[in-house]
Amino acid sequence: MSTSASNGIPDELREALRKARFVAALTGAGVSAESGLATFRDAQSGLWARFDPRELATPSAFARNPKLVWDWYAWRRERVASAQPNAAHHALVEVERRAPQFLLATQNVDGLHQRAGSRTVVELHGNIGRVKCSREGTVVDRWHAPAGEVPRCSSCGALLRPDVVWFEEMLPGHALAAAEDAARNCDLLLVVGTSAEVYPAAALPSLAANHGAVVVEVNPNRTPLSAFADYVLRGAAGVVLPQLVAD
Ligand code: OAD
């Protein structure tokens, strides 16, 4: 690894990014941390500090208490709607603009990559801004609920639910296939703001590495990925990614 670097980014990495034909990115909650949205596992600020998503973001929790789960997501939807993309999201838009081929797979459900201008976004865990019928799976863009109730599907009467992947649920097949294909074929994979603990998304970096990609981790903290990433940029995404794309 080169010792020379400019503003903390090794020159070799800058060159690898410049030469990469196909750049892929895998992001997690950390890329939205500087937009004020809580991550899952950061102890102090994490969502889990106040709620345990494993008690809320599951099919059984929704079956047991649909109103509680619906209200938790409504609360998160409001927080997401008032959040703004941060410098990390915008830097990834710049990476996409420069790369001949690009794909961004995100575990986030906040839609901030798209709001920042990213075009090829694969949502591995869905999108909190979308609501779907819990029986038919059809996405609805408007709904009405009598006070204190969870809205129901106008065509079949089943409860509506957020269009996100819950624990114990399968990821959307097309999204996972696109992300795995990108991991196999990319020349460089940026892994930003994920604890790399939740599968199958967490398998993508090693899939990329096994197919010869340069793997770059951007995270202020150590993760299981840190041991095998080619480059570990230990810092906040909103600071590091702009440095990566600075001319
Ligand atoms: P986590 O909360 O597990 O991890 C967030 C990661 O972001 C941690 O490694 C932090 O160190 C890092 N981080 C914090 N601030 C950062 C910053 N400013 N810049 C860069 N990194 C920062 O969130 P995820 O890895 O996204 O699944 O969690 C993966 C999945 O676990 C989520 O999609 C969710 C959860 O269960 C489902 O909801 C299905």
Side-chain angles (χ1 to χ4, degrees), residues 27-35 38-42 45-48 53-54 57 73 76 86 88 106-109 124-125 164-169 171 192-199 201 217-223 233-239:
T27 64
V31 81
S32 296
E34 290 150 277
S35 295
T39 63
F40 286 83
R41 294 172 179 84
D42 282 348
S45 63
L47 275 175
W48 292 6
R54 285 161 298 196
Y73 277 92
R76 287 180 61 193
N86 67 61
T106 187
Q107 300 168 92
N108 300 340
V109 297
L124 296 170
H125 293 166
V164 298
V165 175
W166 280 335
F167 296 102
E168 305 144 27
E169 287 188 323
L171 274 62
V192 186
T194 180
S195 55
E197 289 177 9
V198 175
Y199 286 78
E217 178 178 55
V218 179
N219 195 319
N221 301 309
R222 194 170 171 69
T223 72
L233 305 180
R234 196 59 80 217
V239 173

Side-chain angles (χ1 to χ4, degrees), residues 170-235:
M170 300 285 285
L171 274 62
H174 66 281
L176 183 57
E180 287 172 339
D181 187 55
R184 275 191 289 269
N185 293 290
C186 68
D187 303 305
L188 188 144
L189 175 69
L190 296 169
V191 185
V192 186
T194 180
S195 55
E197 289 177 9
V198 175
Y199 286 78
L204 293 169
S206 44
L207 182 62
N210 294 341
H211 283 77
V214 171
V215 176
V216 183
E217 178 178 55
V218 179
N219 195 319
N221 301 309
R222 194 170 171 69
T223 72
L225 170 60
S226 304
F228 73 83
D230 297 287
Y231 297 93
V232 173
L233 305 180
R234 196 59 80 217

Side-chain angles (χ1 to χ4, degrees), residues 47-86:
L47 275 175
W48 292 6
R50 288 181 296 288
F51 303 95
D52 182 351
R54 285 161 298 196
E55 298 302 314
L56 289 166
T58 66
S60 46
F62 187 65
R64 195 170 49 243
N65 189 338
K67 185 73 175 66
L68 175 67
V69 173
W70 176 266
D71 288 348
W72 185 55
Y73 277 92
W75 171 74
R76 287 180 61 193
R77 204 167 21 250
E78 277 167 28
R79 286 180 56 75
V80 163
S82 58
Q84 294 301 321
N86 67 61

Side-chain angles (χ1 to χ4, degrees), residues 87-98:
H89 297 104
H90 292 298
L92 286 168
V93 174
E94 180 59 19
V95 171
E96 178 174 20
R97 194 183 65 78
R98 295 177 184 180

Side-chain angles (χ1 to χ4, degrees), residues 77-185:
R77 204 167 21 250
E78 277 167 28
R79 286 180 56 75
V80 163
S82 58
Q84 294 301 321
N86 67 61
H89 297 104
H90 292 298
L92 286 168
V93 174
E94 180 59 19
V95 171
E96 178 174 20
R97 194 183 65 78
R98 295 177 184 180
Q101 194 178 349
F102 181 85
L103 183 134
L104 191 161
T106 187
Q107 300 168 92
N108 300 340
V109 297
D110 57 34
L112 289 181
H113 286 301
Q114 295 93 319
R115 284 176 50 197
S118 290
R119 293 202 309 277
T120 49
V121 179
V122 167
E123 293 177 319
L124 296 170
H125 293 166
N127 186 311
I128 201 168
R130 279 196 308 267
V131 166
K132 67 181 180 183
C133 170
S134 58
R135 181 182 299 144
E136 299 164 328
T138 37
V139 172
V140 298
D141 54 14
R142 66 175 65 85
W143 55 85
H144 169 71
E149 288 184 31
V150 175
R152 291 183 173 274
C153 172
S154 53
S155 68
C156 77
L159 291 172
L160 296 182
R161 55 162 283 182
D163 186 17
V164 298
V165 175
W166 280 335
F167 296 102
E168 305 144 27
E169 287 188 323
M170 300 285 285
L171 274 62
H174 66 281
L176 183 57
E180 287 172 339
D181 187 55
R184 275 191 289 269
N185 293 290

